[in-house]
Amino acid sequence: MRIQIITAGTMGSVAPYTGLGHRLVAEGHEVEIVTHAKFEELVTCCGLRMRPLPADPFEELIGAHTRFRHGGRSLRAVQRLAHATERAAAGLVDGIITAVDPSADLVMLSTIAAPVGRVVARYHDIPSMGVFLQPDTPTAAFSPCAMSWREPGYANRLRGRAVNVAMDALYAAACRRLHARLGLPYRSGHRLRRAREASRWPIWHGYSPSVVPRPSDWRPELRVAGYWWPHECPLWTPPALVTDFLAAGPPPVLVSLGSMMPDAPERLSAITARALRHAGLRGIVQSGWAGLSVVNDDVITVGSVPHGWLMPRMAGVVHHAGAGTTGAGLRAGVPAVPMPVLTDQPWWAARLVQLGVSPRVLPHRELTASRLADAMRRATGEPRFTERATAFAKRLAQEDGAGAVARAAAELAS
């Protein structure tokens, strides 16, 4: 079977699909990942084919989100954020229309790609399914992941519907462009979502039911598969800088903000250095898109290092609580200090505290060296957090999320 996986966004929005794609190849399928050209090495190193999306508006979008959350919440800032989101959605249209292979047997779509990709797949009469890293269907079980975590209650369904209405509105320009390009009657994002639900479109979610249990009020076609972990490149070897540093002392704390671009990276680097020193901990800082840099006798700064290799060697992890990084930390069995920046990150961060693997959420806008040092000391020094994290890692090791999706794909095509 010829399968295309279409995803867009940051590294965390792409890397998990390399693991899913690799499993599908192992099951005998021909797989192509459609995503931004800058991730070509990530995809092809795993032995997967790649078709690039010509546009990549997401760095601009992340920058707009960051500026909005850090003091720029004026009407003009709201308008800039809305326009950046609309441009990001519209920028996907031409790329997905061009990228979808009419001879494909199945198209798998990430959350961001789904509103456009499902229409294009139906235009070519290709079966499709959702492969989402976050839930986006309203439920009473929890609040929508674009908001802070809330306990079960019917109001969560209302919040979920409100968030979806807002998101669908941001796809308005994309929907107009999409239907015009395909010569189809215009349908709004809201109508497309309603059609998706009415057709009982299947969606598999790439996180563990141990982390977020499947809601009982979801329709049967909404499944929670378990994580599909990024596939590590067989040609990759750890840098000597890292292996030498690990061998020279006790396990350090990893500080990683991934693809986030917070304001004043120099200030954040200085806070990180002071916090590690005050906590009496060694550290490895990933520079990421923020360009963090901390170097002294007890801290090194590195570029891209696979989390599947690095995190299990840490005493704890300070991270932005993106969906993929959250899962990687749980898989590694190490306690976390979530430092959310935007979108779904506060939601995942709160969940880590509830699961007992983190002492507290430390929002980026409230960050100080003393708060970070205290959170790191508690995470690494109180045995209950490590014990809970170890137990979760053992539980996740028993799951086979990619296999569940592979079996569903075979059933859908049969």
Side-chain angles (χ1 to χ4, degrees):
M1 183 162 56
R2 301 183 67 181
I3 300 175
Q4 283 189 305
I5 302 174
I6 304 179
T7 185
T10 65
M11 173 74 78
S13 305
V14 177
Y17 296 102
T18 64
L20 177 58
H22 201 267
R23 177 57 177 268
L24 291 167
V25 169
E27 297 284 339
H29 302 295
E30 182 180 335
V31 179
E32 180 179 71
I33 293 185
V34 178
T35 191
H36 310 298
K38 65 185 175 187
F39 297 121
E40 181 175 6
E41 183 177 354
L42 173 72
V43 173
T44 57
C45 189
C46 298
L48 299 170
R49 290 193 310 159
M50 178 181 166
R51 184 174 300 197
L53 290 171
D56 182 5
F58 287 92
E59 286 192 38
E60 176 195 357
L61 179 57
I62 291 172
H65 267 284
T66 301
R67 289 189 296 272
F68 175 74
R69 290 184 66 87
H70 294 283
R73 301 191 181 203
S74 63
L75 176 60
R76 186 175 180 183
V78 171
Q79 292 172 334
R80 282 199 300 263
L81 177 58
H83 292 159
T85 305
E86 290 174 350
R87 284 194 297 272
L92 286 176
V93 172
D94 294 342
I96 291 179
I97 288 176
T98 302
V100 169
D101 183 354
S103 65
D105 299 300
L106 176 64
V107 175
M108 295 183 173
L109 297 162
S110 72
T111 311
I112 293 174
V116 174
R118 184 172 177 270
V119 173
V120 179
R122 285 174 60 86
Y123 177 82
H124 292 295
D125 199 26
I126 305 170
S128 65
M129 62 189 294
V131 281
F132 290 5
L133 299 179
Q134 307 93 348
D136 84 332
T137 303
T139 174
F142 46 73
S143 56
C145 61
M147 302 176 69
S148 60
W149 183 281
R150 295 177 184 267
E151 293 302 313
Y154 182 74
N156 285 331
R157 292 184 63 86
L158 301 180
R159 295 183 184 101
R161 290 169 185 161
V163 166
N164 284 349
V165 167
M167 292 302 299
D168 292 340
L170 293 175
Y171 273 84
C175 287
R176 286 192 293 270
R177 186 177 184 86
L178 172 65
H179 290 87
R181 281 286 312 272
L182 296 178
L184 298 174
Y186 171 72
R187 301 178 78 183
S188 68
H190 178 64
R191 289 184 62 193
L192 290 176
R193 187 184 294 273
R194 289 180 59 187
R196 183 182 94 179
E197 292 302 302
S199 70
R200 308 185 80 81
W201 191 58
I203 301 174
W204 286 83
H205 297 84
Y207 52 81
S208 170
S210 298
V211 177
V212 181
R214 182 188 180 278
S216 60
D217 58 358
W218 272 4
R219 57 182 172 84
E221 299 80 11
L222 302 175
R223 308 289 182 84
V224 178
Y227 288 105
W228 40 79
W229 307 111
H231 184 71
E232 294 184 10
C233 178
L235 303 178
W236 183 84
T237 56
L241 172 68
V242 177
T243 55
D244 291 347
F245 183 77
L246 291 173
V253 169
L254 173 66
V255 179
S256 174
L257 292 184
S259 302
M260 296 302 99
M261 296 186 293
D263 293 338
E266 298 84 2
R267 175 179 174 273
L268 180 55
S269 298
I271 288 174
T272 300
R274 290 198 301 272
L276 287 166
R277 185 172 61 253
H278 294 163
L281 295 165
R282 302 196 321 142
I284 294 181
V285 176
Q286 283 197 297
S287 56
W289 287 14
L292 302 182
S293 179
V294 182
V295 179
N296 58 49
D297 291 343
D298 293 317
V299 186
I300 61 171
T301 296
V302 300
S304 178
V305 178
H307 285 169
W309 181 89
L310 185 60
M311 284 189 177
R313 293 166 167 82
M314 300 294 103
V317 182
V318 179
H319 61 72
H320 58 294
T325 308
T326 295
L330 290 169
R331 182 192 191 192
V334 293
V337 176
M339 194 165 61
V341 180
L342 50 83
T343 58
D344 62 332
Q345 295 163 13
W347 191 85
W348 289 110
R351 191 63 183 143
L352 287 173
V353 174
Q354 292 174 344
L355 294 174
V357 302
S358 173
R360 63 169 295 185
V361 176
L362 188 59
H364 177 263
R365 65 182 180 275
E366 300 174 8
L367 183 66
T368 65
S370 61
R371 288 173 179 166
L372 180 56
D374 177 69
M376 290 192 294
R377 272 194 300 262
R378 291 188 60 198
T380 60
E382 297 181 23
R384 61 192 175 109
F385 297 117
T386 298
E387 290 168 1
R388 187 66 172 161
T390 300
F392 256 99
K394 291 179 179 177
R395 192 178 305 175
L396 297 184
Q398 304 302 313
E399 298 178 357
D400 182 16
V405 177
R407 291 188 291 273
E411 292 173 4
L412 191 64
S414 62

